[in-house]
Amino acid sequence: MKKPKKKSDVVENVMTVRNVDVFYGSNHAVKDVSLDIRKNQITALIGPSGCGKSTLLRCLNRMNDNIEICKITGEVKYDGQDIYDKNVDVVALRARIGMVFQKPNPFPKSIYDNVAYGPRIHRLAENKQQLDDIVENSLKKAGLFAEVADRLADPGTGLSGGQQQRLCIARAIAVEPEVILMDEPCSALDPIATAVIEELMEDMRLNYSIVIVTHSMQQAARISQRTAFFHMGELVEQGATSKIFTLPKDERTKSYITGRIG
Amino acid sequence: MQTNSILHHGRGKHAKWLEKAVVFLLLVCASLAIFTTIGIVFSLVVEASQFLQKVSIIEFLFGLHWNPQTAIRADQVGSSGQFGVVPLVTGTLLISAIAMTIATPLGLMSAVYLSEYASSKTRSIIKPLLELLAGIPTVVYGFFAALMIAPFIRDTGVGMGFNISSESALAAGIAMGIMIVPLVSSLSDDVMNAVPQALRDAAYALGATQAETIKQVIFPAALPGIAGSLLLATSRAIGETMIVVMAAGLAAKLTANPFEAVTTMTVQIVTLLTGDQEFDSAKTLAAFAIALLLFTITLVLNIIALRIVEHFKEQYD
Amino acid sequence: MTERSLTDMAGLAARHRAEKRFRWYGIIAITISLGFLAVMVVSIGSRGIGAFSQTRIALSIHFDEAIVDPLGKRNTAELSRSNTNALIRASLNELFGQVQLPSERRALYALVSIGGAYELQAALEKRPNLVGQTKTMWLTASDDVDIFVKKGINPALDPALRRLKPNQISWLESLQQQGQLQRKFNTSFFTNGDSREPEMAGFLGALVGSALSLLVCFAISFPIGVLSAVYLQEYAKKGRLSRIIEVNINNLAAVPSIVFGLLGLFIFINILHLPRSTPLVGGLVLALMTLPTIIIASRAALRAVPPSIREAAIGLGASKTQTTFHHVVPLAMPGMLTGTIIGMAQALGETAPLLMIGMVAFVVDIPTGILETATSLPVQIFLWADSPERAFVERTAAAIMVLLSFLVVMNLAAVLLRRRLERRW
């Protein structure tokens, strides 16, 4: 699915996935997927459960490295480099590609320490004042600062579900990544909290590129600019969101969107 | 032939009686645990209280000299400080401290490696081997400590001008420490496994190395559980008998070594009770009094430890 | 924004170094622990292996009727008490006729163990027709000779302090040249009870004592443990009583073993007047100690049986008792047995509580019942470890090897049982 690059093309890819296969032992979970992730856009990965979207997402920041039986072939490029190249340091990689998980997972530390964790280990701040600034800015960008400004020392686990997820987003932002991967970030939240985060994502798009796996077609239609539809480990179709939802090319896409499968 | 009515079952009454009898029998069996505890407390308290009629509790708990021989020769309890248990307690704590100083880093780092770094194949080989250490009877550790560790330390220490008493404590402490390593390791392993994978994922996704994740996320999260495990291990060290009896005795007979630093509560209990004496003599009573103190200390430690670990595990359910 | 690439970042190298170091700490910790295990096993093994052979001296013994059976009655009881020592001395005098001084003769006789006389008595008791015959008998040498043959002379030791004098050594050498001094497999180690002479000491008495104690322990702790677990897991409602029982069990599992010994001393011996030093009391005390282990393991086994089994039985109209004992318990039995074997293995190694109830006596005869004075294998090890003679060191180490092999066998049995009978639900 290569677009010819023209000089007038202002849309660029921040990451490209080419011919990626993922095996969990003998299970062929992701089959020959090629995908473009556009810069400063929200790309949604949709499809019925178990079709490999989360697996593919975890390939983008090499989280699958920790799983012994997982084997990956193909090429994932970021910043002109294959991230699976042996010279690439996975620690440095994850400082540039962050992740937010399905169930909010703040550390059992204070709100401040949760957000400060990333900058601390990557030595992004030279003194306490800088660290304070990073924490405050990240919380602001995640839309949480107003609510917690006076209780930064309170435990992160004491917040509500929606607040915890925004805390996790702030934590990911604090490291100043370029790309943020989100694995069904709203599926454990109520509709109001979901709406807050969706609004947040629209703001975040200005500074980051976002890839979101979502179970909800409506959410994908609401917030994303590009959509990729997965089915049984295969990437069936990808393109502009509006086109996918109004004029799908593949029968399976049509069936999913109209609710006949999934 | 019985009617098949569900309202009246021909065998009903008989079966109900049998059911009740079975349940009662089972309950009696299960209650044996309670009776055992009651029995222990009863035994210790009855004898210890007889002892405390002869020796004041202040002298017992706070006295600084332990010399039970005097009490037998004279019928009256001798001059003050003959039954002071303090040197026994400090001796116990000394050896336990040595043991925990060895067991804590070895046990924790073994657990960390096995649960976070080792492949499942390595883990399946190493873990049973560590369990072997736990299965070796303490009398074997005692023999090894007396026969090989203590002389080694003595020969090395004499060359460096160390006091012999702390060496014996060292020999026993080392053997005890190694014996406790599997306990610390498996308890910490359980505790660290209880920390949810989600926290690890979050840390890795932020770009933390494994060491950073373990030191800064998992350890702090597991800290209450690890503290409880260490308390349990300490309690085990305090109650240990054979290693200290044998390493403190070396080739000498069972009469107590006069060096205070080496004598522990358990050694004294054994010394006072092996030998042919009347059951209710002063020595026997003194042994029970020490045992009551020992039981109380370990009980308190165990209760605190189990509470902490329980509370910790509930957090992550 | 700091400079970043996929291959380098500020402080990355230092972080990876810290990571490597941390990983190495783990490996070092495991190596030290397992290394200690290896050192312990190897050093004890190397010291104990010598005990499996025993130095023996061959002497031509003339069973002089005038000395052992002057009245010619051939009464086995009398023969077993006859003066066989004289026979040994006669034989030695004949071999080394040049030895005349009484002090030198004493040194000569000291080469053969005191037990040698008992060995001849036992031979006569078994075969009274030996009287009047002359036979070559292999007799156990004394422990000093045994050590000398196995280890030679300690060159660092002052000659005046050596156990064997030069004349004794020369006699031994001549015996050796004539093939009358040999190391043979030490059967008496396996068949004798304890003895003051290390060369005669065997562990059979202790082994039988341990076996009897474990038998009593099993007979009490297995049924009570299993039934308790059944109650707690299948019948008890989550009320105060079951909570108290659980707390008690968890606490009992962590009580120092010596306290159980005191419990046994006070209640079983002092109040119930059960006989001291017997496997009965030993087994009772061990049973109390093993109960928590069996209960906890059995509960886990019961918990592993899926509810569908119980539901199926109840659905067919079975009562609670029938469901539990006909269906659930048999399925949980492998796990329960495994836990019990492990509990028994722990009980086998216990020493302190048995010391408290008096099983520390010097026991020569092999016990034949649970009401006879006995000792146990770990206690025997403890007693031997206290003895200063070098030969006892050897035997202690060998007894430890025997004990450890039993433990290995028991634990292997438990593991195999678990694997063989494990059901996949």
Side-chain angles (χ1 to χ4, degrees):
Chain A
M1 312 225 75
K2 285 200 193 124
K3 268 179 133 179
K5 273 201 165 155
K6 294 182 254 174
K7 259 204 224 140
S8 56
D9 221 310
V10 286
V11 181
E12 48 173 297
N13 288 332
V14 66
M15 287 184 77
T16 57
V17 177
R18 296 285 177 262
N19 306 105
V20 164
D21 287 85
V22 181
F23 294 87
Y24 276 124
S26 53
N27 176 22
H28 197 170
V30 173
K31 300 172 186 159
D32 195 30
V33 167
S34 297
L35 180 64
D36 288 342
I37 314 289
R38 301 265 196 263
K39 195 168 162 124
N40 292 119
Q41 286 190 12
I42 300 180
T43 307
L45 308 184
I46 62 173
S49 56
C51 63
K53 4 186 245 298
S54 289
T55 309
L56 180 68
L57 191 75
R58 292 170 67 101
C59 288
L60 299 182
N61 67 348
R62 292 181 59 173
M63 281 296 281
N64 284 333
D65 281 8
N66 295 341
I67 302 176
E68 271 181 45
I69 53 167
C70 187
K71 294 281 171 288
I72 301 168
T73 60
E75 180 193 80
V76 178
K77 268 197 169 168
Y78 169 72
D79 199 20
Q81 256 185 304
D82 183 1
I83 66 175
Y84 283 94
D85 186 81
K86 59 176 167 30
N87 289 324
V88 168
D89 190 324
V90 76
V91 164
L93 174 72
R94 293 178 185 155
R96 305 184 68 187
I97 303 179
M99 187 175 248
V100 174
F101 296 84
Q102 182 172 352
K103 196 161 170 296
N105 52 7
F107 298 131
K109 299 175 192 274
S110 67
I111 295 175
Y112 183 94
D113 284 331
N114 260 284
V115 183
Y117 183 71
R120 275 198 180 116
I121 56 173
H122 292 299
R123 314 216 199 325
L124 297 180
E126 279 159 37
N127 53 49
K128 181 85 167 54
Q129 185 55 46
Q130 277 189 13
L131 191 58
D132 287 350
D133 290 338
I134 294 178
V135 171
E136 190 177 317
N137 284 330
S138 309
L139 285 170
K140 279 187 179 148
K141 283 189 207 155
L144 190 59
F145 188 67
E147 295 166 49
V148 302
D150 52 347
R151 44 187 178 120
L152 290 178
D154 284 0
T157 43
L159 301 170
S160 74
Q163 287 173 322
Q164 283 188 16
Q165 195 63 305
R166 277 180 281 149
L167 176 61
C168 293
I169 293 176
R171 183 176 64 185
I173 289 177
V175 176
E176 290 173 41
E178 254 192 270
V179 180
I180 298 183
L181 308 175
M182 295 186 155
D183 193 352
E184 302 192 39
C186 302
S187 62
L189 306 176
D190 61 71
I192 298 181
T194 303
V196 169
I197 292 194
E198 285 182 9
E199 214 181 289
L200 181 61
M201 286 171 69
E202 184 52 39
D203 292 333
M204 283 163 65
R205 181 162 84 83
L206 301 173
N207 296 316
Y208 311 98
S209 311
I210 299 179
V211 183
I212 174 172
V213 165
T214 178
H215 237 111
S216 156
M217 283 184 289
Q218 294 81 359
Q219 182 175 68
R222 277 195 297 271
I223 60 175
S224 68
Q225 288 74 49
R226 276 183 73 80
T227 300
F229 170 62
F230 284 78
H231 186 60
M232 306 250 282
E234 284 178 41
L235 173 56
V236 174
E237 199 174 334
Q238 65 174 303
T241 300
S242 45
K243 289 246 178 59
I244 295 280
F245 279 99
T246 51
L247 290 172
K249 295 201 192 96
D250 193 292
E251 263 313 302
R252 290 170 287 178
T253 320
K254 223 179 278 184
S255 306
Y256 181 71
I257 290 172
T258 53
R260 251 187 277 138
I261 59 174
Chain B
M1 168 149 159
Q2 302 157 284
T3 58
N4 274 340
S5 159
I6 58 172
L7 295 173
H8 175 75
H9 201 306
R11 288 179 312 164
K13 261 201 212 158
H14 182 74
K16 269 221 185 91
W17 174 88
L18 193 61
E19 291 284 317
K20 283 225 168 91
V22 166
V23 177
F24 181 70
L25 174 66
L26 295 181
L27 180 57
V28 164
C29 287
S31 313
L32 192 58
I34 302 184
F35 289 130
T36 309
T37 309
I38 294 178
I40 291 178
V41 173
F42 180 66
S43 316
L44 297 179
V45 166
V46 163
E47 292 295 289
S49 57
Q50 280 188 44
F51 173 76
L52 289 175
Q53 284 166 16
K54 301 190 177 162
V55 176
S56 85
I57 191 167
I58 302 290
E59 181 192 326
F60 180 64
L61 287 180
F62 298 105
L64 295 177
H65 295 284
W66 180 260
N67 198 344
Q69 305 288 8
T70 323
I72 301 180
R73 275 200 286 272
D75 235 327
Q76 32 89 257
V77 174
S79 44
S80 70
Q82 301 300 351
F83 284 97
V85 87
V86 169
L88 305 185
V89 174
T90 55
T92 308
L93 290 180
L94 172 66
I95 295 188
S96 304
I98 297 175
M100 288 309 291
T101 311
I102 295 178
T104 305
L106 288 183
L108 280 181
M109 284 316 296
S110 302
V112 160
Y113 186 83
L114 283 177
S115 70
E116 307 285 333
Y117 285 100
S119 68
S120 40
K121 206 180 82 163
T122 317
R123 192 183 147 91
S124 67
I125 300 179
I126 303 274
K127 207 156 156 46
L129 280 180
L130 277 181
E131 294 301 315
L132 263 184
L133 273 178
I136 295 184
T138 52
V139 71
V140 177
Y141 277 100
F143 177 70
F144 185 67
L147 195 68
M148 269 153 257
I149 302 182
F152 175 75
I153 293 178
R154 188 181 52 223
D155 296 339
T156 321
V158 159
M160 295 200 268
F162 276 137
N163 197 347
I164 297 183
S165 61
S166 55
E167 288 171 27
S168 296
L170 192 58
I174 290 178
M176 204 191 283
I178 300 284
M179 181 197 70
I180 295 182
V181 162
L183 183 64
V184 173
S185 178
S186 73
L187 287 176
S188 313
D189 193 37
D190 286 344
V191 155
M192 283 195 286
N193 274 334
V195 174
Q197 183 63 25
L199 290 183
R200 290 184 187 80
D201 281 346
Y204 291 140
L206 284 170
T209 62
Q210 235 172 335
E212 287 161 355
T213 307
I214 295 171
K215 282 193 278 193
Q216 295 163 13
V217 174
I218 300 185
F219 255 7
L223 200 55
I226 292 184
S229 313
L230 293 180
L231 277 181
L232 274 176
T234 309
S235 159
R236 179 88 175 77
I238 289 180
E240 174 48 42
T241 311
M242 295 319 294
I243 298 182
V244 275
V245 166
M246 294 172 81
L250 288 182
K253 309 238 296 268
L254 263 183
T255 50
N257 185 320
F259 287 116
E260 289 174 349
V262 173
T263 305
T264 70
M265 290 188 275
T266 47
V267 168
Q268 284 305 302
I269 295 176
V270 170
T271 310
L272 290 169
L273 281 176
T274 46
D276 292 317
Q277 70 255 17
E278 281 291 309
F279 182 73
D280 268 333
S281 74
K283 274 185 168 180
T284 316
L285 296 180
F288 274 84
I290 304 176
L292 181 59
L293 180 62
L294 177 70
F295 178 69
T296 313
I297 295 178
T298 52
L299 188 68
V300 166
L301 281 177
N302 290 339
I303 291 182
I304 298 179
L306 288 173
R307 276 266 171 83
I308 294 180
V309 174
E310 234 181 74
H311 177 71
F312 162 80
K313 287 210 172 131
E314 271 166 27
Q315 252 190 329
Y316 285 121
D317 257 335
Chain C
M1 184 161 160
T2 44
E3 266 307 303
R4 296 190 210 173
S5 70
L6 285 188
T7 50
D8 195 25
M9 244 180 101
L12 208 53
R15 290 168 66 190
H16 282 304
R17 274 200 304 273
E19 164 78 19
K20 271 219 176 73
R21 267 202 310 270
F22 194 69
R23 195 163 184 272
W24 270 106
Y25 292 157
I27 296 182
I28 291 174
I30 294 182
T31 311
I32 293 180
S33 310
L34 292 183
F36 194 93
L37 175 66
V39 167
M40 210 164 43
V41 167
V42 165
S43 62
I44 291 183
S46 65
R47 278 179 205 238
I49 204 97
F52 290 106
S53 69
Q54 179 70 45
T55 308
R56 295 210 134 96
I57 298 178
L59 291 178
S60 171
I61 303 282
H62 174 59
F63 289 93
D64 192 346
E65 188 172 4
I67 298 179
V68 298
D69 198 11
L71 298 177
K73 279 196 284 182
R74 301 289 189 273
N75 179 313
T76 50
E78 278 183 24
L79 282 175
S80 70
R81 291 193 297 269
S82 55
N83 184 9
T84 46
N85 231 333
L87 302 178
I88 298 177
R89 292 183 186 181
S91 175
L92 283 170
N93 286 337
E94 208 184 300
L95 260 184
F96 294 98
Q98 71 277 23
V99 176
Q100 294 294 334
L101 291 175
S103 58
E104 287 216 333
R105 283 212 171 158
R106 274 200 298 276
L108 180 63
Y109 302 151
L111 291 179
V112 176
S113 163
I114 297 177
Y118 300 133
E119 288 172 347
L120 288 182
Q121 287 172 344
L124 275 175
E125 185 181 356
K126 224 167 107 179
R127 296 207 326 254
N129 60 358
L130 276 175
V131 178
Q133 295 183 33
T134 303
K135 276 200 82 170
T136 304
M137 303 292 289
W138 283 95
L139 300 176
T140 307
S142 78
D143 57 329
D144 295 322
V145 173
D146 190 44
I147 297 290
F148 169 71
V149 167
K150 286 175 180 167
K151 300 215 172 71
I153 303 181
N154 182 354
L157 201 53
D158 180 3
L161 293 175
R162 290 201 191 122
R163 303 286 302 195
L164 288 180
K165 302 288 175 269
N167 51 1
Q168 288 174 312
I169 295 179
S170 70
W171 296 325
L172 287 173
E173 278 168 359
S174 77
L175 278 175
Q176 196 161 34
Q177 278 169 357
Q178 292 164 23
Q180 286 173 280
L181 183 71
Q182 281 184 17
R183 284 171 71 171
K184 298 198 159 211
F185 183 70
N186 190 357
T187 47
S188 61
F189 185 57
F190 291 85
T191 56
N192 284 8
D194 198 6
S195 164
R196 298 219 193 276
E197 308 302 318
E199 65 273 11
M200 302 303 299
F203 68 80
L204 186 62
L207 188 62
V208 171
S210 274
L212 291 172
S213 305
L214 278 188
L215 202 63
V216 173
C217 174
F218 177 80
I220 297 175
S221 61
F222 182 67
I224 295 185
V226 164
L227 292 179
S228 305
V230 166
Y231 176 77
L232 287 171
Q233 196 63 30
E234 304 287 324
Y235 286 83
K237 296 163 204 66
K238 281 276 182 189
R240 272 191 72 204
L241 182 61
S242 64
R243 185 87 194 108
I244 294 179
I245 297 179
E246 274 183 35
V247 167
N248 264 294
I249 292 177
N250 285 332
N251 274 323
L252 280 177
V255 166
S257 58
I258 196 171
V259 172
F260 281 97
L262 290 173
L263 170 68
L265 182 61
F266 186 75
I267 298 217
F268 296 139
I269 295 183
N270 204 39
I271 293 188
L272 295 180
H273 293 295
L274 293 177
R276 246 177 104 99
S277 293
T278 54
L280 176 63
V281 180
L284 279 171
V285 170
L286 290 177
L288 289 180
M289 292 177 63
T290 316
L291 265 179
T293 310
I294 297 185
I295 294 179
I296 294 175
S298 302
R299 284 192 72 177
L302 287 167
R303 225 176 288 144
V305 176
S308 50
I309 305 276
R310 298 177 185 79
E311 285 159 9
I314 293 184
L316 286 170
S319 71
K320 176 96 175 163
T321 312
Q322 288 168 328
T323 309
T324 309
F325 288 96
H326 292 176
H327 300 276
V328 180
V329 168
L331 286 173
M333 195 47 76
M336 292 177 172
L337 278 176
T338 308
T340 307
I341 295 179
I342 294 180
M344 291 295 117
Q346 284 173 1
L348 176 59
E350 283 297 339
T351 320
L354 298 182
L355 289 183
M356 296 292 97
I357 57 150
M359 285 179 93
V360 74
F362 175 68
V363 174
V364 176
D365 301 315
I366 317 287
T368 52
I370 63 174
L371 291 174
E372 291 183 21
T373 307
T375 184
S376 77
L377 199 47
V379 171
Q380 183 72 86
I381 292 173
F382 170 65
L383 292 174
W384 282 350
D386 238 14
S387 309
E389 290 101 331
R390 283 182 68 184
F392 268 128
V393 168
E394 209 180 49
R395 274 164 179 72
T396 312
I400 290 179
M401 288 165 72
V402 170
L403 176 63
L404 288 181
S405 7
F406 274 109
L407 290 176
V408 165
V409 163
M410 286 172 86
N411 277 297
L412 267 180
V415 166
L416 281 177
L417 183 69
R418 186 186 293 159
R419 289 227 182 119
R420 193 63 65 85
L421 299 176
E422 208 168 40
R423 306 262 307 240
R424 304 252 163 247
W425 303 110

